[in-house]
Amino acid sequence: MGEVPHSVPHSTQRGLPSPDLFTMKHLLTTSLVFIGILCSYTVLSIIPNTNTDVDRTARVAVVTGSNKGVGFATVKGLCQRFNGTVYLTARSVVRGQASVEELRKIGLQPRFHQLDITDDSSVNAFKTYLNDTHGGLDILVNNAGISFKENATELFSVQASETVRVNYFSLLKVSKALFPLLRPHARVVHVSSAFGRLPLIPGSQIRARFSNSELTVEGLNQIMRDFIEATKTNNYQDSGWPDKPYVVSKVGVSALTGIQQKALDTDAREDLVVNAVHPGYVNTDMTDHLGVFTPERGSQSSLYAALLPENTDIKGKYIWHDNTLVDWANGPKPAA
Ligand code: NDP
């Protein structure tokens, strides 16, 4: 009994499995480990990064430049009327968090995230945060903007490049970063102005460039760069430019809206909508509090455009403060 026949492989003599059995077990173990790794990898890659206190199925709204003024009132209105998570964003963490606290005191629950629309790294960090935390975006209100005061001492060319950089190019930067996150039925609002109407550009040739139905974003960018370049000479008005950089920046925003809507119309995601709005003449820091509307009243058109129902026809439009549609390119100026 104790003898092991010669035919029995050596390894068996030491209580080890036969090479065949060994190979099979080894293969089985290796396969199981491999399948295990594959499964874990697959599960991990389909379960997005989770932020434990966030419901990733909840809808998400973002308002830029919302620590004060019309943007702050827009966040307030969205907290009251939008069924989802609302982000108050600001370039200053201190100012932004103080504004969030103000809304919390009246029982509203906005979230805060830092966002300087002129800063690539801030915009990209916010994009990554939104993607990792929520996986998408349902409402984007591009509200942040600047306007130099009448008595500003900066060179006109500096005012021109800075105004266009913030109001137009940075709004475009935010759009480019966040549009890929838009979910079906998302609503984007660009806060333009009554100054964002084309008739305020004196030169007919420049007006024709802005209203060209074939205009692309790159073509529009070139118009904005041409304006900045023209202001480096003293005769920019002779070429048909206005003496208000704010006008050019906001006409750019109104024009961009139509171009972007055309692109969104062919997007695989259903019912993506972008509109521009004029908030009215609003009592904010920007107007030295001379505006006649309260910030809440000024936020009416932004809220209207942000909360447009599914499959709305109102897209690529310019919406006046009373929620009526206005032809920004050719229409007469509506009553203030
Ligand atoms: P305010 O000056 O009161 O508020 C502007 C907001 O934009 C502030 O929160 C400001 O932040 C923010 N902002 C400025 N630059 C940046 C930046 N680089 N990154 C992020 N946020 C920034 O203006 P309003 O509330 O009056 O204006 C809101 C929007 O409405 C603007 O686009 C404006 O052009 C437009 N508008 C306003 C009208 C009015 O009558 N008030 C009329 C027509 C249009 P911070 O506090 O840090 O400066």
Side-chain angles (χ1 to χ4, degrees):
M1 224 185 106
E3 278 285 340
V4 178
H6 283 300
S7 59
V8 177
H10 217 51
S11 54
T12 314
Q13 292 175 30
R14 293 176 191 153
L16 293 171
S18 72
D20 284 345
L21 203 56
F22 179 83
T23 311
M24 276 177 62
K25 276 198 170 174
H26 181 72
L27 268 176
L28 193 66
T29 313
T30 314
S31 310
L32 285 174
V33 169
F34 178 71
I35 289 167
I37 291 172
L38 195 69
C39 286
S40 325
Y41 178 79
T42 312
V43 168
L44 283 176
S45 60
I46 57 172
I47 295 180
N49 289 340
T50 44
N51 184 334
T52 45
D53 64 338
V54 170
D55 172 6
R56 286 178 61 85
T57 61
R59 298 202 300 149
V60 179
V62 165
V63 184
T64 68
S66 48
N67 52 294
K68 65 180 183 179
V70 176
F72 179 75
T74 306
V75 167
K76 186 175 170 189
L78 284 173
C79 286
Q80 291 161 337
R81 294 166 53 186
F82 171 66
N83 183 17
T85 306
V86 182
Y87 278 91
L88 184 154
T89 67
R91 56 180 164 176
S92 155
V93 173
V94 171
R95 288 195 290 276
Q97 283 178 339
S99 303
V100 163
E101 277 316 305
E102 215 177 303
L103 291 175
R104 289 204 172 134
K105 278 185 199 147
I106 57 168
L108 303 175
Q109 299 295 330
R111 285 173 163 257
F112 175 72
H113 201 283
Q114 194 275 346
L115 178 62
D116 181 339
I117 64 165
T118 64
D119 177 357
D120 285 0
S121 57
S122 170
V123 172
N124 289 332
F126 186 47
K127 175 191 182 164
T128 302
Y129 168 83
L130 281 178
N131 192 36
D132 290 352
T133 311
H134 300 283
L137 179 60
D138 302 281
I139 292 177
L140 169 62
V141 182
N142 277 314
N143 167 85
I146 61 161
S147 173
F148 282 84
K149 305 289 180 198
E150 287 290 332
N151 61 357
T153 53
E154 287 85 349
L155 282 176
F156 185 75
S157 60
V158 171
Q159 295 186 30
S161 63
E162 187 59 10
T163 306
V164 170
R165 182 176 81 95
V166 178
N167 293 358
Y168 174 79
F169 281 111
S170 299
L171 178 147
L172 179 59
K173 184 208 305 287
V174 171
S175 300
K176 282 184 170 167
L178 300 188
F179 275 23
L181 299 186
L182 296 178
R183 292 194 268 240
H185 310 292
R187 302 289 177 253
V188 178
V189 184
H190 293 334
V191 181
S192 181
S193 165
F195 288 109
R197 295 172 46 257
L198 193 56
L200 295 173
I201 304 278
S204 60
Q205 288 181 351
I206 299 174
R207 285 202 303 273
R209 286 179 73 192
F210 271 115
S211 59
N212 182 343
S213 59
E214 303 297 312
L215 187 62
T216 60
V217 173
E218 190 36 54
L220 182 54
N221 291 348
Q222 190 55 50
I223 301 177
M224 308 310 274
R225 287 193 289 265
D226 288 349
F227 168 64
I228 292 169
E229 203 51 37
T231 61
K232 292 176 184 163
T233 68
N234 284 331
N235 55 357
Y236 67 92
Q237 283 181 281
D238 298 343
S239 356
W241 294 109
D243 63 353
K244 290 187 172 52
Y246 187 78
V247 166
V248 177
S249 73
K250 293 295 188 177
V251 167
V253 170
S254 304
L256 178 68
T257 305
I259 300 171
Q260 287 180 327
Q261 184 62 57
K262 270 195 209 164
L264 294 179
D265 284 343
T266 63
D267 197 283
R269 293 163 292 178
E270 190 189 350
D271 185 30
L272 299 184
V273 164
V274 54
N275 287 296
V277 300
H278 163 52
Y281 188 36
V282 190
N283 179 344
T284 65
D285 286 350
M286 183 174 280
T287 58
D288 290 329
H289 299 276
L290 296 173
V292 292
F293 287 167
T294 61
E296 282 74 17
R297 173 63 179 80
S299 69
Q300 176 176 285
S301 53
S302 287
L303 289 168
Y304 172 74
L307 298 170
L308 282 167
E310 286 191 2
N311 303 315
T312 177
D313 288 335
I314 301 172
K315 50 185 182 171
K317 305 288 188 201
Y318 171 86
I319 302 171
W320 203 243
H321 64 72
D322 58 2
N323 300 347
T324 56
L325 300 186
V326 166
D327 182 349
W328 70 275
N330 301 303
K333 184 177 184 216

